[in-house]
Each structure stands twice: as C-alpha cells, then as structure tokens.
C-alpha cells in the first residue's frame, strides 16, 4: 500500500470529508482500504451483498438493519463518502471541545449516536418506534424460546415505561430520556476505531 | 462413590506391586523371561513325550509374557480412575486444577511403591516421554488450536516464545551463576555453562501444565492464545539452547563462532520444524483426497502423518513440537473437507482422548517419580531458583509487552500482563529434559531436585492461586439493579450494533495478508488438496454442516420437551379490548421479563471470549444461532396462510420439541423437504436462465436424497393415478422452496422470479418419479453445488 498521501489523493473531496466527519487522514486511508476490500468488483460503490459477505455481520441478529442504515431510502449503493459519514457516528466523542450552541451538532456526539440507534428501530422513519417495530426488533434479538404473548408483553411494558405522551409509541425525545448511561459501553466511547487509531497513527505505511 | 473409587485405586496399586518387581515398560524388551517355568506353557503341544510324568496342566499362568502390556494398561487405568474420582466431587476440580490432583495421587502411589521398595516404571525416561507421551498432547493442542486468533496474534506469540525464552534463560542463568559465587551455598562448583544449561531447561514454560490451568480458569481468548502459542513455540528455543549448552559444557572454550552457529541453528530448528510440518500437512491433505472409498481408515492418516512429522523432525534434531503443531494446523482445514462426517468426528474424539490420557499419565508419573528418585537438597540454590524464575519471568513479561503493545490491536493491560507472567508454569518437559542431562555434570541430582521443586511450586501454588487471583482482579461486578426493561433492550441493541460495526470495519493489518492467502488458497491449494473443490461461501458451508448435525441430533433425541414452553412465565393479561387499556404489570411479571430477556437474547459476539475446550470438544454454540435464526425466518415466511390444515405452531416450544413437531405434524413437513431445483436447461420445457451472477454463492443445487414422508393435507399429495402432485401441493412445495432459497439468497429472492423455476422443476420431478414415500426419519440435507 502506498503512502498515506497518495491514497488520499485518490479520494475526491477528501478535505471536506475530513472536516465534516472529524477523521484524521490515517483513519480515512484505513477506511478507504476497507472500502476497497469490501468492494470486490471495484465499482466504487458498495451494494448490500458486499456487506452481507462479511460473515460475522451476517451472524449479528440486527445485522441487516445495520446494513440498511448505510443505504438512504431509495439508494441501492453506497459510495465512499456516505460510508465514511455513517461510520463517523461511531467515532469517540470529543469530550474536550465545549459545546458551541450555534454550530450544528457534531456527527459523533452522544445525541447523534442515539439517533443512529433510534433509526435502527424505526425502519419506516416516521420518527417514532411503534409497537410493531419494537416487536420486530425484539423478535430478531431473542431466540425462539419466547412465545408471542411474552414478546408482546415485553413490548407493551417497554412502551409503557418509556412513553410519556401516551401515544403508544416511543419518540426520539423519549428514547433519549432512557437512562442508558449506567449500562456499559453505551455511548460508543470505545468506538471501533479506537483500537486501530493508535496503530494507524504510528504505522501509517504498514500493510 | 468416591470411596469406592479410592478402594479400587488402592486395590489396583496393590495388585500391580508384585508386577513391579520386574523392570521397565517399553522400549526395553521383556527380556526377563529367562527362567523356564516348571509347568509347561499353556497350550503348548506335548513335545517331550519322555519328560516328567506330569499330567496335563489344567491351569497355567505365564505372567512374563504379558507383563509389559499388562502393566501399561494397569497404569493407564489407574490414572483414569483417578481422573474419574476427581470429577465425582465437582468442587475440588473447581478450586484445584486437575494437574495438582493428579500429581498428588502420583505422590501417594509413589510413596506406596517406595515403601515397598519397588521401582516405578521408567515412563519418564527420555525416549518414552518424548516419543510416546508428548506427541499426543501436542497434537491435541495443535489440532484444536483456534486458527483465526492464532494467526491474528502470531507476531506476539513468536515474540514471547523466542525472545521471552531467551530473556528468561539468559537472565536466570546469569543470576544463578552470581548466586553460585556466594560461598555460603556451597555450590561454587557449578560453572557458568552448567548454570546456563539448567536455566535453559527451567525457563521452558510447559504447555501441559499451563493450559489445563488456563482452561479451568477460562481466561479470555487473547491471553489464552498467547500463552498457548508461547508454550508450543518456545520448544524451538529450548532445544537449541539445550543442545548448545550441552555441547558447550563439554568444550573448554567458547568461541564467538559458536554463538553465530547457535543463532543459525535456531533458525534451522524453528523454520525447519515448521517446514516439515507444513509439508506433511499438505501430503496428508493430498492423501485424503483419494480416500473416498476407504472411509474406515481415514482417521489413520491424520495420526500417522502427524506422528511421522514428529519423528522425522526428531531424526534431524529439529523442533518436533513445532513440526507436529504446524502439521496439525495445516492438515485440519483441508482434511476436514475431504473426509466423511464420521471420520471427522472420530478424528476429533481420538485426538482428544489420546491427548487427555497422555497428559493424565504424565502428571501422574511426575508424582510417582518424585518420591522414588534420589534427591540432593540445597536450600540456597533451590530458593534462589524459584525466586529468580518468578522475577525474571515477571520482568520479561513487562518489558516485552511494553515493546509489543503498540503493535497489537488489543493491547495487553496490566491485568493481562500479570496473568501472563503468573501463568508461567513449568511442567514435565523440564523434568524430562533434566533427567537426560549427561552424567558428566556433577550436580545432576541437585538439578533434578530443583527442577522438581520448581514444578511442584508452580503447579501447586501458582496453579491453585491463579483462579482466585483472576477473580479478585476482575472484581468489577456491577450489581444487577433492576434496570428497566427499556434499558436492557436498548443496551443490548446498541451492543449488537457496536459489534456489527466493528465487524464491518474489520481487523487492521491482517486483512491484507489474509486476503492474499485466501485467494491463493482458493485458486491453487484447494484445487489440489480437496476432492470436491467448489469455492464456498462459508455461511452456506456452515449452514449445511449445521443442518446435517441438527438433523442427526433430532433423530437421536428421544423425546422433545413438550412442557418446556409452558414452564416459562404465565403473564397476566387483561382482556384486550379495542380501547387498548393500559396493562398492569405486576412485579412478578417484571422479574419474569427480565429473566426471559437475560436468558434468551442473543449474546454479543465478544471480542475476547472465554475459551474452554479442555474437558469437552469444542462446540459450535454460537454458530448454532445462525441456524436457529434461519429456521425461524423460514418458518415465519411460511406462516402467512399458505397452507391448509395445522401449520407451524407459533406457540413455540423448546427447540427440540419444535423440530419434533415438524416431523410428526400432520401438515406439510416442508421444513425438511429437500427439493431438487435443477437449472439444467436440457430437461426444462422452456429455457431457464441461470440465476443472475450477483449471487454470493454461485449456482446451487439443493438435492433430495430421500424425501420426507409427505403426510399431506387431505387435499394435497401425490396422486398415484396421474403420477403428479396435486396443484396445491405444488404450491406448497414451491413456497417452501422459495423460503429455503430465500435463506440462501435473501436479496435475490424478493420477486417471484423463482416461481416458474420451481414449478417447472417440480414437473420434472413428477416425470422421474423421484419422490417416494420414505419415512421422515431418513432425511438428509445435502447441498450439492
């Protein structure tokens, strides 16, 4: 693999991308390599099948939802920019920068991460998690030993706990209020690029 | 029960005592039959008609003839009984690793033998140990080594193995030499070379001892792999150092040339070992390509080839352990594709069995021989050895991890380092090596004693204390306050997401080489070494393997648990009127919900999983999840009103019952219908284009071996008169086919593209009359591609 700079020059609009997502050049290079590795036919776009080829992702109970999150509605392919933008959600949040209320919410803040998780539930994108959507997610996350009635009770209970305005669905605001902070690893602080980051920065040329 | 076992053990020992008055077990030939028994040998013809006028002996005993195998068997049985005995009382094995228990029993037996002035069999002689006892253990370790984590950590493993062992040996040797200079200990006659030699022996971390402890304690995968790999691969260094120092100990002067030669020799030993292993592995794979007609002896090849690799490496004095490990690693992947399912199971079981038995015997005899050898005790030397070994290992681990951590994707934190250092147990290899020291070394007995002390210390004290220590360190147990259901569900979802995205981003540096190797593998190696070479997507391969296993398991289970389902909660309902009243959830309901969630939600794919396979064969529990999920999705897709009659009962019972249900169920047993989708143009009434090239898995035929009993609904079925399926059945079959196809190619089978394909193939089906009414007990799924 060539040097960082030569790879960066292959990617159009790289500075804008870095600005928007906050990734360092080394991160971008690494993601580009991954993108190319996934894009087996070198079309420059990824299709759902390419994602599906990742075995462990296919084993994930919500794997197909995660894959779906990369594709905007109506889009069949993902190009590198969108790929990076979505992954930017998972960057560790910058704790040091003070919140500037005039600037738009940075892409990797806690709120945007929760929004991403919310969208995994909310497949029809109406801004609310309805009971049916919740049931679907529950079904995929639970093994078969659970009966329909139990699933439905769990879903009911979930909505009951979170629903504050009695519309029998969970909106994003209500979702945010769920005290997820106490549970482990919830705010993506140990984002997936965390581990590779020091390596990348110290060994950008290593392949 | 335990008492009975103990009595039995003691009984066996006493029984073996008179036998012990003869000497060793293999390879010494039973040449002790020198005395002609006064009684004629049993069954021998009366060749001396003019002999003493004795009558035909009714009962004769010729012990000497069977002595050697008999003793071997008895010892093996004895050790195995001990092993049974431990597991009777589960708590013991929890706190005390099995190796300790075995050594203790060995000590007891040794004491008994010593008091009766018997010599134990010389099992721990050099040849017997290295030629017979060690290979099975190493083969087992190599065969069941998880390849993916191993290759991901191969750099770290080699780093620790090579540099770590060197560090330890040189450090301990030097410091011991310094200690020897102290007059008070009276060991001044041990010169530098002998010290270094001894240090080389002592610093070898032993695979046998460590792994049994680690698996009992279930440390995480990374640690396990590093220690495991280190133990296996430091053999190369140990062999070189040992031979070098033995050679040097005889020489009066050490020249710089010899140092260079030593380094060169190290490379020869290490790389040579690996090379031999790989060669034999490939030869074995190639051989199994042709064994489709001799399935019964397939497992033999594995064992013979790996043993051959070991022996050839021993022939050239290169690292035989590395040879056999690499052979097993190379072989496993290809051979398991070539051999039949039964042979595969047989191989696994036998490898496991041999390894366990060898290990048991080794520890056992360690105990026995401890008592019966001559010792020379020297407080200073021994204590300092123990201390220095610990210190140098700790230092070594610290320094080495500092250097290698920046290169690792998952760096080792302090806890890991502590466990790495503390887990450096010594074992039987050191012991066997020290026994083979040439007698020209004056202080051999001292060395022997020290080694034994070292082993006992590490195995007992470190082995027993490591588990409480690990638990103590990992003490971050969050109290399970009753979080809300919301938190539980959402946090699980988020964890799955994180795991998913991590998988998406993939590993860093290894991907490139892995990719290259996989390409090479697919293009060249697989074609040569595997009989049925078709490039496979691993999900499909996995699926078909699991289906097979599952089908067999179901056939084996006697009865499903009909009541398992109802054992779960009974939740209290309010009548669901259209007004959607708020349901009241009682506290008991909540508890039950938490219970359900915690027991049944899919586990996250953990990066560092606990790894326990010592006492059981590795299982595919995680991969079974795919299977279950696929089954569920098929079932659900079948559900929307495509059948008459009783259909999939979504009141789910436990898994086995569910599948049982499908067999006995009176509707269409579609799930195990194995269907024949042909895409062969010649027989189709109209041309079918082959599936679009965007399939992940290529063209697939799913073939019926034998079809299920089609106990169909009363409207459907096989119409004998017209020899066709009824229309309804065709519809059912096609729906089923589509569902199964959807499993394999979920994205493609979204349209009704498949319907004509399926129906047409069913026509062909009819004409050939392939469907017979075979009972559903003979189902097999085979994906032929």
């Amino acid at each position: 693999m060539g040097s960082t700079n030569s790879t960066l020059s292959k990617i159009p609009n790289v500075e804008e991308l870095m600005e928007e997502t906050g990734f360092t050049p080394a991160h971008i290079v690494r993601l580009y390599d991954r993108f190319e590795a996934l894009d087996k036919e070198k079309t420059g776009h990824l299709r759902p099948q390419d994602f599906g080829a990742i075995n462990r992702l296919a084993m994930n109970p919500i794997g197909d939802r995660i894959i779906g999150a990369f594709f905007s509605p109506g889009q069949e392919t993902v190009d590198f920019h969108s790929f990076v933008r979505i992954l930017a959600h998972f960057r560790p949040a910058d704790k040091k920068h003070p919140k500037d209320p005039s600037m738009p919410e940075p892409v990797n803040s806690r709120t945007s991460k929760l929004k991403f998780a919310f969208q995994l539930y909310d497949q029809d994108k109406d801004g609310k998690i309805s009971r049916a959507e919740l049931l679907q997610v529950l079904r995929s996350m639970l093994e078969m030993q659970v009966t329909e009635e139990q699933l439905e009770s769990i879903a009911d209970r979930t909505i009951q706990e979170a629903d504050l305005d009695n519309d029998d669905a969970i909106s994003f605001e209500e979702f945010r209020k769920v005290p997820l902070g106490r549970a482990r690893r919830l705010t993506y602080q140990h984002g997936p690029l965390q581990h590779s980051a020091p390596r990348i920065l110290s060994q950008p040329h290593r392949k | 029960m335990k008492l009975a076992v103990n009595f039995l053990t003691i009984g066996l020992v006493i029984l073996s005592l008179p036998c012990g008055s003869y000497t060793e077990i293999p390879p010494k030939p039973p040449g002790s039959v020198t005395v002609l028994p006064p009684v004629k040998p049993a069954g021998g013809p009366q060749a001396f008609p003019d002999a003493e006028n004795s009558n035909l002996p009714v009962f004769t005993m010729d012990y000497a003839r069977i002595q050697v195998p008999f003793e071997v068997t008895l010892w093996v049985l004895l050790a195995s009984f001990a092993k049974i005995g431990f597991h009777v009382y589960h708590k013991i094995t929890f706190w005390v690793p099995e190796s300790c228990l075995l050594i203790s029993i060995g000590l007891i037996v040794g004491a008994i033998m010593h008091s009766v002035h018997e010599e134990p069999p010389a099992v721990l002689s050099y040849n017997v140990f290295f030629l017979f006892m060690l290979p099975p253990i190493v083969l087992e370790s190599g065969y069941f080594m998880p390849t993916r984590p191993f290759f991901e950590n191969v750099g770290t493993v080699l780093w620790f193995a090579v540099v770590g062992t060197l560090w330890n040996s040189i450090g301990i040797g030097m410091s011991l030499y310094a200690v020897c200079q102290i007059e008070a200990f009276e060991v001044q006659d041990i010169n530098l070379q002998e010290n270094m030699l001894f240090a080389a022996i002592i610093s070898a971390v032993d695979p046998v001892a460590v792994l049994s402890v680690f698996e009992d304690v279930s440390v995480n995968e990374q640690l396990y792999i590093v220690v495991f790999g280190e133990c296996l691969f430091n053999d190369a260094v140990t062999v070189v150092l040992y031979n070098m120092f033995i050679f040097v100990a005889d020489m009066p002067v050490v020249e710089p040339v010899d140092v260079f030669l030593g380094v060169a020799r190290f490379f020869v030993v290490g790389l040579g070992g690996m090379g031999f292993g790989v060669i034999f592995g490939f030869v074995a794979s190639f051989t199994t390509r042709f064994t489709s007609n001799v399935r019964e002896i397939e497992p033999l090849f594995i064992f013979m080839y790996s043993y051959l690799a070991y022996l050839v490496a021993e022939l050239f004095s290169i690292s035989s352990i590395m040879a056999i490990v690499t052979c097993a690693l190379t072989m496993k992947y290809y051979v398991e594709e070539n051999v039949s399912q039964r042979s595969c199971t047989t191989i696994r079981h036998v490898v496991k069995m041999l390894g366990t038995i060898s290990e048991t015997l080794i520890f056992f005899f360690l105990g026995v021989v401890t008592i019966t050898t001559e010792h020379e005790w020297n407080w200073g030397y021994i204590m300092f050895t123990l201390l220095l070994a610990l210190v140098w290992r700790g230092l070594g681990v610290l320094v080495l991890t500092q250097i290698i951590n920046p290169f690792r994707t998952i760096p080792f934190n302090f806890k890991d380092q502590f466990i790495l250092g503390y887990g450096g147990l010594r074992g039987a290899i050191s012991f066997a090596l020290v026994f083979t020291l040439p007698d020209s070394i004056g202080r051999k007995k001292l060395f022997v004693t020290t080694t034994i002390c070292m082993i006992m210390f590490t195995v007992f004290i470190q082995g027993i204390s490591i588990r409480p220590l690990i638990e103590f360190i990992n003490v971050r147990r969050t109290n399970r306050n009753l979080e809300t259901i919301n938190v539980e569900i959402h946090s699980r979802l988020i964890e799955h997401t994180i795991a998913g995205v991590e998988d998406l981003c993939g590993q860093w540096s290894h991907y490139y080489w892995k990719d290259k190797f996989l390409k090479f593998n697919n293009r060249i190696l697989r074609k040569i070494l595997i009989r049925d070479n078709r490039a496979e997507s691993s999900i499909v391969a996995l699926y078909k393997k699991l289906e097979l296993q599952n089908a067999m398991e179901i056939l084996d289970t006697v009865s499903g648990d009909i009541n398992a389902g109802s054992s779960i909660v009974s939740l209290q309902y309010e009548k669901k009127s259209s007004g959607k009243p708020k349901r009241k959830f009682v506290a008991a309901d909540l508890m039950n919900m938490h219970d359900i969630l915690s027991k049944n939600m899919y586990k996250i794919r953990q990066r560092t999983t606990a790894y326990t396979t010592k006492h059981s064969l590795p299982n595919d529990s995680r991969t079974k999840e795919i299977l279950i999920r696929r089954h569920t999705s098929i079932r659900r897709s079948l559900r929307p009103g495509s059948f008459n009659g009783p259909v999939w009962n979504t009141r789910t019972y436990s898994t086995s019952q569910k599948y049982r249900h499908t067999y006995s169920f009176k509707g269409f047993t579609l799930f195990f219908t194995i269907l024949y989708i042909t895409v062969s143009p010649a027989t189709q009434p109209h041309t079918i284009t082959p599936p679009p090239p965007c399939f992940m898995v290529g063209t697939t035929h799913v073939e019926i071996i034998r079809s299920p009993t089609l106990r169909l609904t009363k409207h459907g079925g096989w119409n004998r008169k017209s020899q066709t399926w009824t229309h309804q059945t065709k519809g059912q079959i096609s729906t089923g086919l589509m569902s199964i196809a959807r499993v394999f190619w979920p994205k493609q089978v979204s349209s009704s593209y498949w319907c004509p394909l399926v129906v047409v193939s069913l026509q062909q089906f009819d004409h050939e009359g392939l469907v017979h009414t075979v009972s559903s007990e003979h189902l097999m799924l085979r994906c032929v591609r």
Side-chain angles (χ1 to χ4, degrees), chain A residues 30 34 51 55-56 59-61 70 120-121 140-141 143-144 149 153 156-158 160-161 188 199, chain B residues 484 486 490 494 496 504-506 508 538 571 573 583 585 590 600 602 605 628-629 632 651-652:
Chain A
R30 189 249 188 274
R34 181 65 177 167
F51 285 107
N55 298 334
R56 302 202 124 196
M59 282 203 242
N60 199 312
F70 277 85
L120 287 178
Y121 281 105
S140 53
M141 285 212 293
E143 293 178 334
M144 287 184 303
E149 299 111 356
S153 328
D156 284 335
R157 173 68 190 175
T158 313
Q160 210 181 54
E161 283 173 0
Y188 300 179
R199 277 216 69 221
Chain B
T484 62
N486 257 292
H490 298 322
I494 291 179
H496 277 302
L504 192 76
C505 293
W508 166 234
S538 61
L571 298 174
Y573 273 92
R583 249 211 251 164
F585 290 99
L590 286 185
N600 289 314
Y602 279 117
R605 176 218 37 103
I628 294 174
R629 220 174 293 137
T632 319
R651 307 293 148 182
T652 57

Side-chain angles (χ1 to χ4, degrees), chain B residues 200-239:
Chain B
I201 298 175
I202 271 285
S203 61
V205 180
D206 185 55
V208 177
V210 178
L211 296 181
S212 56
V213 170
F214 265 23
E215 279 162 2
D216 285 341
V217 164
S218 51
V219 292
N220 67 55
E221 192 181 64
Q222 296 289 319
L223 262 185
Y224 180 87
I225 275 294
V226 170
V227 177
F228 187 177
E230 182 197 346
C231 299
L232 284 180
F233 288 104
N234 71 9
D235 178 59
V237 182
T238 312
V239 163

Side-chain angles (χ1 to χ4, degrees), chain B residues 584-603:
Chain B
K584 294 197 184 56
F585 290 99
V586 182
D589 295 335
L590 286 185
M591 282 300 300
N592 287 326
M593 276 195 215
H594 276 293
D595 240 357
I596 296 172
L597 284 178
S598 58
K599 280 193 200 127
N600 289 314
M601 281 211 273
Y602 279 117
K603 316 264 179 309

Side-chain angles (χ1 to χ4, degrees), chain B residues 560-571:
Chain B
D561 298 337
I562 300 184
N563 296 319
S566 48
S567 69
I568 319 181
V569 189
S570 65
L571 298 174

Side-chain angles (χ1 to χ4, degrees), chain B residues 180-206:
Chain B
C180 286
Q181 307 303 81
I182 303 178
E183 290 182 12
F185 296 136
E186 302 164 0
V187 283
Q188 275 163 316
D189 53 330
I190 308 182
N191 58 14
L192 179 63
Q193 286 124 334
E194 290 179 352
N195 269 316
M196 297 290 278
L197 179 61
F198 178 63
I201 298 175
I202 271 285
S203 61
V205 180
D206 185 55

